[in-house]
Amino acid sequence: MYDRFYPGRVWLDTDGKRIQAHGGSIITVNGKYYWYGENKEFTTGDGTRWHNGVRMYESTDLYNWKDLGIIIPVSTDPESPFYPTACMDRPHIIYNKTTQKYVCWVKVMRGERGQLSTVLTADCITGPYTVVHQDFKPLGMSAGDFDLAVAPDGKAYYYFERVHSETICADLTEDYTDVTGCYSTHFPHHEGPPYVREATAHFLRGNKHYLITSGTTGYWPNPSEVAVADTWHGPYTVLGNPHPGDDSNTSYHSQITSVFNVPGKKDLYIALADRWRPESMDVPYSEIEKLYATICTPALPQEERSAASARLRELGSDRSNNTSIADYVWLPFTFENGMPTLHWCGEWKVEDFE
């Protein structure tokens, strides 16, 4: 039994197994917490599996998690987004009070077809989930990492990376299964990786909207960035890196996937992050940054770009990474003169907050 968080350490479920809920989030239903995400238990780096479905856990204290099993299973259809080798990432679930449906979005990297979205719905948080919209491009765009958010009035929004260019905030339809066509654009970085923003995580505190994003370096960690606005669509003002004590410039060797506001706590917002490469923490970000910048600069000589690609493969590609041993880094935000800040804590407790 756990009675506190230990960021960066191996986290076991109540059966003594590694928790497999990567790139996901937490939703509260009837006073219980449900944590879900990518199941990477068989993604050992041999290239045969990218995922093993979406897994869910249940808790009453946020420390101890009971495995509820796979809520979205793998498919035997090679064309399915849930085929084990398909690059299915970042399931996010929101509840629609009008339709009384749980709505789950995922994104899948489809090579030359770009990054595609798939939407599923269920009557119960634990499923079964049924695909209602498969392999489409929201707004006609290749949509990468994303977050979903529901306003107090029930309207929902979809924040995503328009792959390798900018961040999009799009209105969702009333049933949350598609976009309406209304959207805004933010953080243009048309030079591409590593500077374009991805892994968008939205949270609302008081009347301020915050977006946390990472750079684009695959599973290699990089500096996070926080921005603030007065409305869902902004405009957003970049405040800077929320990890002021991080000398490694890697967001404490992690990537934030979502921010969870703990019910009943006055001001506790937890940054939920994945440490995708716990065995590669000695590789400096300065080298990764330079390699990605070189690879993604068409004006540079092909020989130089090829050498950078070879070096990156030597260090380890996303497909060769053993994400079955990826860990979690959960940290509480503090708000210092309006700046959401994440200080490193080797251990901490929910009970330390009002």
Side-chain angles (χ1 to χ4, degrees):
M1 292 285 289
Y2 297 102
D3 66 353
R4 65 196 65 206
F5 301 111
Y6 298 97
R9 296 193 197 178
V10 175
W11 199 348
L12 306 179
D13 64 22
T14 54
D15 293 325
K17 298 179 181 179
R18 274 184 181 267
I19 294 174
Q20 295 288 345
H22 298 286
S25 189
I26 295 173
I27 187 170
T28 305
V29 181
N30 296 327
K32 292 184 178 179
Y33 305 115
Y34 293 87
W35 179 17
Y36 57 87
E38 305 159 34
N39 178 16
K40 296 285 195 178
E41 64 180 321
F42 301 125
T43 308
T44 57
D46 64 1
T48 61
R49 278 182 179 263
W50 183 266
H51 70 91
N52 196 54
V54 176
R55 200 172 203 108
M56 179 170 280
Y57 298 82
E58 179 187 84
S59 176
T60 57
D61 59 12
L62 293 174
Y63 306 130
N64 300 282
W65 295 91
K66 176 184 178 182
D67 181 11
L68 299 181
I70 306 296
I71 61 167
I72 302 175
V74 294
S75 171
T76 57
D77 178 5
E79 293 301 312
S80 168
F82 303 104
Y83 194 66
T85 58
C87 297
M88 184 279 297
D89 288 336
R90 297 186 177 269
H92 286 295
I93 300 172
I94 51 179
Y95 181 65
N96 189 308
K97 291 183 178 179
T98 301
T99 64
Q100 298 184 10
K101 296 279 188 180
Y102 291 91
V103 182
C104 176
W105 285 59
V106 302
K107 64 101 169 177
V108 182
M109 293 176 278
R110 289 293 200 182
E112 293 182 356
R113 296 169 62 190
Q115 300 194 29
L116 307 178
S117 300
T118 289
V119 182
L120 311 90
T121 63
D123 295 325
C124 177
I125 184 60
T126 55
Y129 284 83
T130 302
V131 173
V132 296
H133 204 177
Q134 180 172 317
D135 281 349
F136 71 106
K137 289 187 175 183
L139 304 169
M141 301 175 185
S142 187
D145 291 356
F146 69 97
D147 196 10
L148 304 175
V150 180
D153 64 4
K155 190 172 182 179
Y157 300 85
Y158 171 45
Y159 293 92
F160 68 92
E161 173 214 1
R162 184 179 188 181
V163 174
H164 296 175
S165 62
E166 59 194 343
T167 298
I168 304 293
C169 173
D171 291 9
L172 292 183
T173 54
E174 290 185 3
D175 64 1
Y176 302 170
T177 66
D178 204 344
V179 291
T180 65
C182 177
Y183 70 96
S184 55
T185 64
H186 312 275
F187 320 134
H189 287 280
H190 299 293
E191 69 273 28
Y195 307 111
V196 66
R197 311 314 298 171
E198 69 171 10
T200 307
H202 170 277
F203 69 97
L204 180 63
R205 177 178 181 258
N207 60 355
K208 297 292 185 181
H209 296 263
Y210 294 92
L211 292 182
I212 310 292
T213 58
S214 79
T216 309
T217 51
Y219 280 148
W220 295 103
N222 57 60
S224 297
E225 188 174 271
V226 59
V228 65
D230 294 323
T231 70
W232 293 91
H233 283 282
Y236 282 86
T237 300
V238 174
L239 300 178
N241 190 333
H243 301 84
D246 174 33
D247 295 334
S248 70
N249 219 18
T250 61
S251 307
Y252 304 130
H253 299 283
S254 69
Q255 182 186 47
I256 295 171
T257 177
S258 60
V259 177
F260 180 61
N261 181 203
V262 179
K265 291 293 179 178
K266 181 180 179 181
D267 208 27
L268 178 52
Y269 294 79
I270 305 176
L272 313 182
D274 296 287
R275 179 170 286 174
W276 294 109
R277 292 179 177 267
E279 295 185 322
S280 303
M281 291 171 59
D282 58 337
V283 179
Y285 172 67
S286 57
E287 180 173 8
I288 298 300
E289 178 185 25
K290 183 177 180 180
L291 291 173
Y292 268 89
T294 300
I295 293 166
C296 297
T297 304
L300 291 175
Q302 185 59 49
E303 183 176 294
E304 186 176 343
R305 296 172 64 200
S306 296
S309 295
R311 174 56 178 162
L312 194 61
R313 288 194 298 272
E314 180 184 336
L315 290 172
S317 68
D318 286 354
R319 278 223 175 253
S320 66
N321 195 46
N322 181 8
T323 50
S324 70
I325 60 168
D327 291 319
Y328 306 95
V329 176
W330 288 17
L331 293 171
F333 276 105
T334 58
F335 297 88
E336 303 170 6
N337 297 318
M339 173 69 177
T341 303
L342 295 166
H343 294 289
W344 179 256
C345 304
E347 58 181 74
W348 66 280
K349 304 177 72 171
V350 170
E351 290 76 13
D352 293 336
F353 293 79
E354 295 181 3

